[in-house]
Amino acid sequence: MHKKLFIPGPVEVSQDVLEKMAMPMIGHRSKEASELQRRISDNLRKLFYTKNEILLSTSSGTGLMEGAVRCGTLKRAAIFSVGAFGDRWYSIAESNNVPADKFEFPMGEAVDPKVVDDVLKTGKYDLITVTHNETSTGVMNPIEEIAQVVKKYPDVIFCVDTVSSAAGVKIEVDKLGIDICITSSQKCLALPPGLSICTFSEKARERAEKVKFRGTYLDLLALYKYIKKKDYQYPTTPSLSHMFALDYQLDKILNQEGLENRFKKHIEMAEIVRNWADKYFEVFADRNHLSNTLTTVKNTRGISVADLNKELGKRGFIISNGYGSLKEKTFRIAHMGDCTVNDVKELLQNINEILNLK
């Protein structure tokens, strides 16, 4: 039995989108490939509210996170972490021999913009990373407030992981001054995993020109120069199947559903899950910084999340246990992508029946 996914990725993929993955191949050096990839980039600019260039990578979002840190740091990176995926930025910097310091906040809390200001005013750092939406804790960082701080430091490259929020939450890249904004195919875009995307500002390009060792496959400057020279073709063979599906899905999101409707739907789903959690359990994260794409629920009833998932599986659903040290102490319900309000209500009704919640 197929289990409907309410986990923080991969998410449910519509049948019509899956079918686009099975389209016949075209030559990746063909005119058709250029047209496909140019159209995707133009539509992604609309989604990100940016005039900056778009880069595509046949990798998970972690690949472009690595590319961003490696290509954007000359002096030292300031990594702001509110959970597991903020920590990942730091481990990426360490493993690439990029000088970095990590500034952590307690699990369930958001990044404090004042701390960002205090860190950047030291002048030690020329790149900052922030996780917009932390799926381990259900925190959505105050990116607008953080952006206002970063704008005070024009030499700092601003990198934001929006892997689990882009296409579910409005992120105005140019207005916020984000230099490299990263997302992946398998979250709010509701595609199979395997493709990542980032915006790439002129400021980020100028910085990358000064970095000597940028790697090869994840060299953002090399990707940028190649698509400019070769009309949106890429230096290595891309996943054309993902691009067929992304092209189709972007048209659905932008021209059928509409971005504002999609953002509104995510807020509505989030509020339904939060209200349910407030009634029967407790929301884990800081109430002022709750994610609109995933809710982490504190396991105040001491239920076995594993056993709940077994029973849900028999009914065709799956949610996610807590992440790392929060396993069994919390559980997570994702509400992102093409998931609907009715899907969320159906899941919660089944949980109520299994746990006998009145």
Side-chain angles (χ1 to χ4, degrees):
M1 178 196 295
H2 168 67
K3 297 176 185 176
K4 192 176 286 188
L5 302 176
F6 291 88
I7 61 176
V11 299
E12 282 293 298
V13 182
S14 302
Q15 186 61 36
D16 55 339
V17 174
L18 285 173
E19 288 170 2
K20 292 296 176 181
M21 296 282 290
M23 285 180 64
M25 287 296 100
I26 59 175
H28 67 284
R29 295 286 174 246
S30 64
K31 180 182 177 183
E32 290 81 4
S34 289
E35 290 171 351
L36 171 68
Q37 288 155 176
R38 191 186 322 114
R39 185 167 60 246
I40 287 170
S41 293
D42 288 343
N43 280 330
L44 284 168
R45 272 186 271 273
K46 297 175 186 175
L47 188 145
F48 282 110
Y49 298 87
T50 185
K51 295 179 180 177
N52 291 336
E53 194 50 87
I54 300 291
L55 305 178
L56 305 174
S57 173
T58 302
S59 68
S60 68
T62 302
L64 286 181
M65 289 166 69
E66 179 169 329
V69 168
R70 187 161 180 171
C71 297
T73 310
L74 267 178
K75 290 195 302 188
R76 197 169 192 89
I79 312 291
F80 291 87
S81 176
V82 297
F85 295 95
D87 291 347
R88 180 172 294 183
W89 277 111
Y90 183 66
S91 65
I92 288 169
E94 277 197 312
S95 62
N96 280 279
N97 202 31
V98 173
D101 293 315
K102 181 168 65 170
F103 302 92
E104 293 184 84
F105 295 82
M107 296 189 84
E109 294 185 16
V111 170
D112 182 348
K114 184 180 182 304
V115 174
V116 176
D117 198 11
D118 290 341
V119 168
L120 294 184
K121 72 172 56 168
T122 66
K124 288 172 59 178
Y125 305 97
D126 60 357
L127 180 137
I128 173 181
T129 74
V130 175
T131 308
H132 181 218
N133 192 69
E134 176 58 64
T135 54
S136 65
T137 61
V139 165
M140 184 170 285
N141 276 311
I143 201 70
E144 292 84 3
E145 296 170 44
I146 294 168
Q148 289 305 310
V149 171
V150 179
K151 285 177 181 177
K152 293 164 59 178
Y153 304 94
D155 292 334
V156 174
I157 299 296
F158 188 18
C159 301
V160 183
D161 162 6
T162 65
V163 166
S164 58
S165 54
V169 176
K170 191 173 191 176
I171 301 161
E172 297 178 274
V173 164
D174 288 358
K175 182 179 177 182
L176 296 171
I178 300 172
D179 295 297
I180 303 175
C181 188
I182 300 165
T183 196
S184 290
S185 55
Q186 79 281 9
K187 307 280 188 176
C188 297
L189 282 168
L191 298 169
L195 193 69
S196 57
I197 298 154
C198 76
T199 66
F200 193 61
S201 72
E202 181 63 15
K203 180 174 156 186
R205 184 198 64 77
E206 290 172 357
R207 170 63 56 77
E209 292 276 11
K210 300 173 184 175
V211 177
K212 186 174 182 181
F213 298 109
R214 299 185 303 271
T216 301
Y217 189 73
L218 300 169
D219 180 353
L220 304 189
L221 183 61
L223 294 179
Y224 175 88
K225 287 183 174 180
Y226 204 93
I227 66 171
K228 289 295 191 183
K229 183 179 179 181
K230 299 289 186 178
D231 191 16
Y232 286 90
Q233 292 178 10
Y234 281 82
T236 56
T237 310
S239 176
L240 290 165
S241 297
H242 278 93
M243 291 183 178
F244 291 141
L246 177 57
D247 183 42
Y248 176 79
Q249 180 72 326
L250 286 170
D251 180 65
K252 282 179 65 178
I253 291 170
L254 293 169
N255 301 317
Q256 296 180 41
E257 182 178 14
L259 276 177
E260 292 297 337
N261 289 332
R262 194 171 182 85
F263 301 149
K264 183 180 176 183
K265 178 192 74 171
H266 278 77
I267 293 170
E268 188 176 354
M269 292 190 296
E271 288 175 345
I272 289 168
V273 177
R274 289 171 198 160
N275 291 337
W276 173 86
D278 285 338
K279 183 175 181 179
Y280 297 110
F281 293 90
E282 187 179 332
V283 173
F284 178 76
D286 171 12
R287 301 293 309 200
N288 295 317
H289 300 99
L290 294 177
S291 166
N292 286 339
T293 62
L294 170 137
T295 299
T296 299
V297 182
K298 194 181 293 185
N299 187 6
T300 54
R301 292 173 175 259
I303 65 167
S304 167
V305 180
D307 287 349
L308 170 60
N309 244 342
K310 285 179 187 175
E311 292 303 313
L312 281 172
K314 295 174 185 176
R315 297 171 178 230
F317 305 92
I318 184 170
I319 62 172
S320 186
N321 209 319
Y323 193 95
S325 62
L326 295 176
K327 187 174 182 180
E328 292 293 324
K329 297 177 183 176
T330 64
F331 57 90
R332 296 173 295 159
I333 298 174
H335 30 81
M336 65 174 81
D338 290 343
C339 181
T340 68
V341 166
N342 287 337
D343 291 332
V344 168
K345 289 179 177 178
E346 184 183 20
L347 169 73
L348 297 179
Q349 181 182 340
N350 277 273
I351 294 177
N352 286 351
E353 289 172 5
I354 292 166
L355 298 179
N356 196 29
L357 301 176
K358 304 295 185 182

